[in-house]
Amino acid sequence: MVERTNGSPWFFIVGIVLVIVGLAGPLLVDAATGDVQWLIRGAGVLVAIGGGVLIGFGVRRRQGR
């Protein structure tokens, strides 16, 4: 049986914040400028992916792997 560890909740907190900022940030910039900023959208997608990776890492740590 795999022993569960109490991993730090910061991986989840920072991961969720990065996903929210990565998805909402570019939409706010598009709304503010009135134009589609593809470079900002691409950066937002990368930030959201990084947040997802942190969430996944936090899940793995909580499962003790």
Side-chain angles (χ1 to χ4, degrees):
M1 184 164 75
V2 177
E3 182 179 335
R4 293 184 63 174
T5 60
N6 289 333
S8 174
W10 290 110
F11 290 110
F12 295 110
I13 295 168
V14 173
I16 290 169
V17 168
L18 285 177
V19 168
I20 291 170
V21 168
L23 295 177
L27 294 176
L28 293 174
V29 170
D30 288 347
T33 61
D35 193 21
V36 176
Q37 304 289 329
W38 290 106
L39 186 62
I40 303 239
R41 280 192 179 187
V45 167
L46 292 177
V47 169
I49 290 172
V53 168
L54 279 179
I55 291 171
F57 186 68
V59 168
R60 282 184 61 104
R61 285 188 55 147
R62 285 221 178 246
Q63 293 177 348
R65 294 182 189 169

